[in-house]
Amino acid sequence: MNTEKSAALYNEALQYLPGGVNSPVRAFRSVGGTPLFMKKGAGSRIIDEDDNEYIDYCMSWGPLILGHADAEVLRALRENAVNGTSFGTPHRFEVEMAKLVTGAYPSIEKVRFVNSGTEAVMSAVRLARGFTGRDKIIKCDGCYHGHADCMLVASGSGLATFGTPDSAGVTSGNAQDTLVVPYNDPEQLEACLKKNEGSVAAVIMEPVPCNYALLLPGIDYLKTVRGLCDRYGALLIFDEVINGFRVAWGGAQEYYGVRADLTTLGKIIGGGLPVGAYGGRRDIMSKIAPDGPVYQAGTLSGNPLAMAAGVATLKKLAETKAYASLREKAELLRRKLQPVLQQHAGRVLFQQLESIFCFYFTGAEEIKTLDEVKKCDMRLFAQYHRELLNRGIYLAPSGYEVGFLSLAHTAADIDRTVAAVVASLKAIL
Ligand SMILES: *Cc1c(COP(=O)(O)O)cnc(C)c1O
């Protein structure tokens, strides 16, 4: 595979951009080699600067559920760009987007649009604190909520629930108001709520964690969490930046039948443009400025082009049998992978939920906790990633990331992918 032009651009990028990138995982550090510079996407395919073509399962880290360069998203962008790119005034597309989002999520009575998932989480946390008058937030270890200071906190060694900064530049003051508990462990969550009774504003989690590989919630775990939040007067924030409009039209809340007080969204709702959102109960949302005392604003929030791309994406998801079709594709992939997975049983595991999937190099039969992910062989994943890349399959460049199917992936794509998986596993195991 010739990747000369990508390599040259990367060398140049290294002189001007930290690590040559604008988001760290893109730098390929955990899989080795140098990042590929993409110049074009179409449907399930991406093409790099050296004209190598790949079947893409990164899909811009989740947003592109319709595939690359979807015709209707492009039409919405073209038609509206000529009218201007930003006004800093209200715009009809904001209302249209808000109707679509509140229509999909019964728990979201009002919504505020922002520019990223990080911003959505940061604002939802501030709102939860402003609404409850409490300071502490409980998060689950291994859930990613973007890079706001209060979320860059990991469980400290020793005391399970004592948060420590997970990044330089995050103050211990910031970390001490974030308590960390393990995912899929209701007892520890309850113990933490009890110990901090009266001071926990919210529990935040990804209902289906997708940022430390893919973890699946245990039976009734999310319902138990809901009950605990009610008992201790803490708000429940579901971070559905990935799950939203992905696992179902109404996200994980529809899928598992659990209602959050506040929900954060991003990725898919921007149709490939920068958008985030947070929303929830009317009484909570009424605390946001200008209705209430919790300040939050944005120069480009609700940007007409971003909203137009989001509206086009959500309308297409609503009007086609999108989720049945995505499930069919995912099941086809799983079925066709079955023989090769069986052949390598005890060395590699494939988990999938709807159109989200993950390969783990592990002897475990199921992965539900962070500790189980930590035992996976990430060196093997790096080799696997390289082998697949050489065969024209693009997975996100880290074993801690998940893969996404889109409506644009075809049965022929899946056949090619499975053949590449067979050859790649044979090469490394
Ligand atoms: C991607 C992601 C975020 C952060 O969104 P950005 O748009 O990258 O800031 C937050 N939460 C979850 C669950 C995510 O997957």
Side-chain angles (χ1 to χ4, degrees):
M1 196 168 71
N2 174 18
T3 55
E4 259 172 46
K5 286 183 184 158
S6 278
L9 276 168
Y10 183 52
N11 276 333
E12 212 180 346
L14 284 170
Q15 294 178 50
Y16 305 105
L17 301 163
V21 292
N22 284 304
S23 193
V25 197
R26 294 181 196 170
F28 269 50
R29 295 280 168 92
S30 63
V31 291
T34 52
L36 300 169
F37 281 61
M38 296 301 160
K39 66 176 181 187
K40 189 174 159 63
S44 62
R45 306 302 174 103
I46 43 177
I47 297 170
D48 70 16
E49 289 283 348
D50 295 281
D51 291 319
N52 301 300
E53 188 175 310
Y54 309 86
I55 300 174
D56 185 17
Y57 291 102
C58 178
M59 301 312 279
S60 191
W61 308 88
L64 304 180
I65 195 166
L66 306 180
H68 290 273
D70 175 77
E72 275 147 69
V73 173
L74 290 189
R75 187 183 323 129
L77 288 172
R78 278 199 198 98
E79 275 177 7
N80 291 292
V82 294
N83 294 325
T85 53
S86 180
F87 304 104
T89 68
H91 191 280
R92 62 200 305 269
F93 288 153
E94 296 169 286
V95 184
E96 208 173 330
M97 264 301 273
K99 280 187 186 165
L100 284 162
V101 169
T102 54
Y105 276 81
S107 72
I108 303 182
E109 293 175 321
K110 282 195 175 177
V111 60
R112 164 79 49 97
F113 293 106
V114 292
N115 301 300
S116 70
T118 295
E119 210 186 323
V121 168
M122 184 182 80
S123 311
V125 166
R126 182 184 307 135
L127 174 58
R129 287 172 166 157
F131 178 78
T132 58
R134 299 172 171 189
D135 288 347
K136 294 198 187 304
I137 300 290
I138 299 179
K139 77 180 279 281
C140 290
D141 211 3
C143 283
Y144 178 68
H145 300 294
H147 61 88
D149 284 5
C150 62
M151 289 293 114
L152 287 179
V153 174
S155 56
S157 54
L159 285 168
T161 61
F162 181 74
T164 54
D166 206 15
S167 160
V170 174
T171 63
S172 52
N174 236 312
Q176 90 191 11
D177 279 332
T178 303
L179 309 168
V180 187
V181 298
Y183 178 78
N184 259 340
D185 189 335
E187 285 80 26
Q188 291 220 38
L189 174 61
E190 174 151 34
C192 186
L193 281 163
K194 194 177 257 170
K195 193 170 152 203
N196 296 280
E197 196 159 1
S199 55
V200 178
V203 174
I204 183 168
M205 63 176 56
E206 295 177 78
V208 182
C210 295
N211 284 289
Y212 206 98
L214 171 64
L215 302 176
L216 301 178
I219 295 166
D220 285 342
Y221 171 63
L222 298 173
K223 287 188 175 146
T224 306
V225 169
R226 173 73 271 179
L228 288 171
C229 285
D230 290 341
R231 197 143 99 230
Y232 289 91
L235 298 181
L236 176 58
I237 306 176
F238 273 173
D239 182 353
E240 296 220 35
V241 170
I242 285 185
N243 295 175
F245 297 96
R246 169 63 67 180
V247 298
W249 170 247
Q253 294 177 53
E254 174 187 318
Y255 200 77
Y256 292 102
V258 177
R259 199 177 166 114
D261 299 304
L262 288 172
T263 302
T264 53
L265 296 166
K267 298 196 168 109
I268 287 175
I269 63 161
L273 273 78
V275 179
Y278 63 103
R281 273 165 40 195
R282 191 179 301 272
D283 59 326
I284 304 174
M285 295 302 285
S286 74
K287 300 295 178 206
I288 301 166
D291 284 349
V294 178
Y295 190 70
Q296 189 273 310
T299 302
L300 292 173
S301 292
N303 174 265
L305 289 184
M307 294 289 106
V311 166
T313 299
L314 296 192
K315 275 192 172 165
K316 195 158 173 181
L317 288 173
E319 285 162 13
T320 59
K321 294 212 177 309
Y323 296 94
S325 164
L326 287 164
R327 177 179 298 172
E328 258 170 47
K329 292 172 202 289
E331 277 172 5
L332 186 66
L333 177 63
R334 183 164 61 180
R335 204 165 62 242
K336 295 217 163 179
L337 283 173
Q338 209 56 47
V340 69
L341 293 171
Q342 228 146 34
Q343 188 193 331
H344 297 289
R347 301 212 63 188
V348 62
L349 175 72
F350 176 80
Q351 280 191 167
Q352 162 252 327
L353 182 80
E354 297 300 315
S355 56
I356 310 169
F357 66 82
C358 189
F359 290 97
Y360 316 75
F361 290 89
T362 177
E365 279 171 17
E366 195 182 23
I367 298 282
K368 275 190 169 168
T369 66
L370 192 66
D371 285 340
E372 289 160 351
V373 177
K374 283 181 177 161
K375 288 185 197 134
C376 293
D377 188 339
M378 292 300 170
R379 271 189 29 231
L380 262 183
F381 180 87
Q383 292 172 29
Y384 181 60
H385 186 269
R386 173 58 49 190
E387 294 288 337
L388 282 176
L389 212 51
N390 289 339
R391 291 175 175 86
I393 307 297
Y394 192 93
L395 292 185
S398 160
Y400 296 101
E401 303 293 341
V402 296
F404 296 103
L405 283 151
S406 74
L407 286 172
H409 287 85
T410 63
D413 288 336
I414 289 170
D415 282 340
R416 271 196 50 185
T417 304
V418 171
V421 169
V422 168
S424 298
L425 289 177
K426 190 173 172 200
I428 62 164
L429 291 180

